[in-house]
Amino acid sequence: MSRRASILATGSHVPARILSNEDLEKIVDTSDEWIVSRTGIKTRHISGPGEYTSVLASRAAANTLAAAGLAATEIDILIVATVSAEMTMPSCACLVQKELGAIKAFAFDINAACSGFIYGLSVAEKYILANPQLKVMVIGAETLSTRVNWQDRNTCVLFGDAAGAVLLGSSDQGDGIVAEKLFSDGTLYNLLYMDGAQSLNPALRNEEFEGSLIKMVGRDVFKYAVNAMENAVRAVLAQAGVAIDEVRLVVPHQANIRIINKLTQKLGVDPEKVYINVTKYGNTSAATIPLALDEANREGRLQSGDYVILCAFGGGFTWGATLIKWQ
Ligand code: COA
């Protein structure tokens, strides 16, 4: 049986504070009806004071370690996918390492926006295939509430804060990452981006500058997201020689219920097999897939030997899909 990088345990964490559509009606000119009909989102979790991205990430990782029955000192590599770390340097992953006491690990961040978690899985897989002894923690964590313009109704209703994680190790029982395909197209960066706090950013010298906030051309993003994820899923299934009907669960990036429904329809997959929790959490970027995977796992939606497809799309543009055989 071929050796694969397998998910040993999952975990997640969301901040306690919930912001409803009714709460948003008091902040911007919007309505529950508009938000639900265009996005499917009803609530999102928002970090409170001190609940930084590294804090959410550490809690998700601690829950994952508890589920795996492993100590933090047993982690060899710690990867955090994020675009909303509280510091540019050190990496969010180093802050998580400190918080967990994962002294043996080397730690670094990945920026692939909403696709960051599946990019992280891909990197983890390569290390594990090279050295089966390794245990790798991959975390997707965001506090996008600190990066949206709360005056911009086009974007502020869409996003939320959360973290999710998986612990990976080697398996020779056939379970693990079967196939994956990652893509990027930097020529389309200006359809979804966040100004960075970089020295090249002239706005930083402007006294009016109000921070590095998300900017998006929603309609264009919508169209690209559906087509890109459909093609990525088809490519991965073809690579593995697996039919869509053989897949037990599709865990798509949770940006918008209409994107997910359109993808479901185009793939011709039974909607019962598509995991949806965007209703509760909104778009938590790199955290959506590991958070959804952890919920699905804890709900008993995954049995040993099941095929699970993850697919993501995000700023960059970045996108891709991962086919996993559940452990
Ligand atoms: N409440 C009320 N009205 C709103 C609103 C809000 N929160 N946000 C936008 N509107 C208004 C717009 O101002 C516009 O008004 P106008 O026609 O008077 O100018 C109108 O609603 C329609 O806007 P439009 O952008 O055409 O709506 P849409 O049907 O495309 O839906 C999105 C907007 C953002 C929900 C949709 O484009 C989308 O989901 N895009 C993908 C976004 C995404 O998921 N990005 C992350 C991917 S990782």
Side-chain angles (χ1 to χ4, degrees):
M1 197 91 58
S2 60
R3 189 178 289 284
R4 287 180 173 145
S6 187
I7 294 179
L8 307 178
T10 64
S12 60
H13 177 79
V14 293
R17 185 180 159 216
I18 295 173
L19 189 74
S20 68
N21 292 347
E22 289 74 16
D23 296 328
L24 277 164
E25 287 174 2
K26 296 179 193 126
I27 303 173
V28 286
D29 181 13
T30 191
S31 65
D32 175 56
E33 192 280 320
W34 192 96
I35 302 171
V36 171
S37 64
R38 303 296 173 112
T39 72
I41 300 166
K42 294 197 172 98
T43 55
R44 65 289 289 145
H45 289 243
I46 303 290
S47 292
E51 285 183 306
Y52 304 117
T53 299
S54 73
V55 173
L56 303 189
S58 300
R59 289 181 186 158
N63 291 340
T64 307
L65 286 172
L70 231 69
T73 48
E74 294 173 86
I75 302 173
D76 297 287
I77 307 175
L78 207 160
I79 302 172
V80 178
T82 186
V83 292
S84 54
E86 66 267 34
M87 298 179 110
T88 302
M89 183 179 74
S91 66
C92 188
C94 281
L95 296 174
V96 173
Q97 175 190 28
K98 173 182 83 74
E99 187 64 28
L100 292 177
I103 46 168
K104 189 169 77 170
F106 65 86
F108 61 94
D109 289 357
I110 284 186
N111 176 346
C114 302
S115 310
F117 178 74
I118 64 167
Y119 273 57
L121 280 186
S122 173
V123 174
E125 184 209 22
K126 306 304 171 292
Y127 276 108
I128 289 166
L129 293 181
N131 180 354
Q133 303 303 319
L134 297 179
K135 299 281 181 290
V136 187
M137 181 73 78
V138 181
I139 307 169
E142 306 280 7
T143 50
L144 287 178
S145 65
T146 64
R147 302 298 202 280
V148 292
N149 178 353
W150 288 98
Q151 315 297 318
D152 176 14
R153 67 178 184 175
N154 291 290
T155 50
C156 76
V157 303
L158 303 175
F159 299 99
D161 303 337
V166 298
L167 186 74
L168 293 129
S170 172
S171 170
D172 54 12
Q173 303 300 306
D175 56 305
I177 296 175
V178 178
E180 47 136 33
K181 220 69 171 104
L182 302 177
F183 306 85
S184 310
D185 185 350
T187 65
L188 298 169
Y189 87 92
N190 57 346
L191 296 175
L192 175 58
Y193 68 95
M194 204 193 288
D195 294 333
Q198 307 295 335
S199 56
L200 281 175
N201 185 351
L204 279 176
R205 294 163 202 266
N206 181 345
E207 284 173 19
E208 310 279 300
F209 183 58
E210 288 173 346
S212 308
L213 304 173
I214 294 173
K215 308 206 179 48
M216 183 177 72
V217 186
R219 287 222 159 168
D220 290 350
V221 174
F222 193 109
K223 272 184 271 167
Y224 278 104
V226 172
N227 291 332
M229 284 194 284
E230 183 199 356
N231 291 337
V233 169
R234 290 196 187 284
V236 158
L237 290 174
Q239 190 179 316
V242 171
I244 188 77
D245 292 344
E246 294 177 67
V247 173
R248 172 59 60 98
L249 194 67
V250 179
V251 181
H253 172 48
Q254 308 281 314
N256 178 317
I257 210 160
R258 284 161 56 222
I259 293 180
I260 297 173
N261 289 343
K262 195 95 194 151
L263 177 69
T264 303
Q265 187 194 334
K266 287 188 119 196
L267 286 172
V269 62
D270 176 358
E272 293 287 307
K273 291 181 171 178
V274 180
Y275 198 83
I276 296 177
N277 65 5
V278 67
T279 326
K280 286 191 285 181
Y281 301 116
N283 181 350
T284 60
S285 188
T288 70
I289 291 178
L291 173 62
L293 196 59
D294 182 47
E295 287 200 334
N297 189 20
R298 283 188 287 117
E299 287 163 12
R301 300 267 307 256
L302 294 163
Q303 305 300 321
S304 182
D306 284 350
Y307 280 121
V308 189
I309 277 266
L310 317 179
C311 59
F313 181 86
F317 286 152
T318 56
W319 67 98
T322 314
L323 178 69
I324 295 170
K325 196 166 211 193
W326 202 248
Q327 76 281 7

